[in-house]
Amino acid sequence: MIGEHQYRLHATWTGDRGSGTSGYRDYDRSVSLEVDGKPLLEASADKPFRGDPAKWNPEELLLGALSECHLLSYLHACVTTGVVVVSYSDDATGTMVEDGKGGGAFTDVLLRPRVVVADESMIAAAVAAHRQAREWCFIANSVNFPVRHEPVVTAA
């Protein structure tokens, strides 16, 4: 299925404390993210940037997008090679470095998928499927930093 796909999201800043952005400490970094037909997502900046640590921040959302995209691409790769996955979890980490000028960038993401397959004979193909998943992952193909993988695959 080749084609172009459009995505829409409505973001609303909800952090006006009554004086707008009159000063750096005078406003909240709260944002609501909405997509038609889905629950509202409450977001904010990360705590070091004066955000609310109880809400999702952009850095966590990016890490989550990379982890989920790899997971979904991986499951598809396994189906195409006859590998039956019965369990999958990931402990992903990412590193962002500030540039000292008010900006910064991610420098690295590490995905640590823990996969359980139905039979021991599937382990080699299950490990190889991570390479295919990396090639298919739309999000990983859209970022300019390495997305590394340290998978562990076991049999049920």
Side-chain angles (χ1 to χ4, degrees), residues 62-141:
L62 177 61
L63 186 60
L66 285 162
S67 178
E68 181 183 359
C69 188
H70 183 80
L71 181 156
L72 295 171
S73 299
Y74 179 77
L75 295 178
H76 179 67
C78 286
V79 165
T80 64
T81 59
V83 172
V84 178
V85 175
V86 297
S87 174
Y88 183 113
S89 64
D90 183 18
D91 290 312
T93 58
T95 303
M96 185 190 73
V97 178
E98 294 182 68
D99 64 11
K101 298 179 268 183
F106 270 81
T107 58
D108 179 74
V109 162
L110 175 60
L111 305 179
R112 293 184 186 94
R114 300 299 179 256
V115 179
V116 179
V117 295
D119 188 83
E120 192 171 330
S121 65
M122 299 174 176
I123 290 176
V127 171
H130 284 286
R131 286 188 295 280
Q132 182 64 65
R134 170 57 180 96
E135 291 177 20
W136 286 346
C137 178
F138 303 132
I139 307 302
N141 288 324

Side-chain angles (χ1 to χ4, degrees), residues 18 32 43 56 59 65 75 78 90 102 104 111 113 140 142-143:
S32 65
W56 286 89
E59 296 81 12
L75 295 178
C78 286
D90 183 18
L111 305 179
S142 301
V143 299

Side-chain angles (χ1 to χ4, degrees), residues 1-5:
M1 171 171 52
I2 296 176
E4 181 176 288
H5 304 270

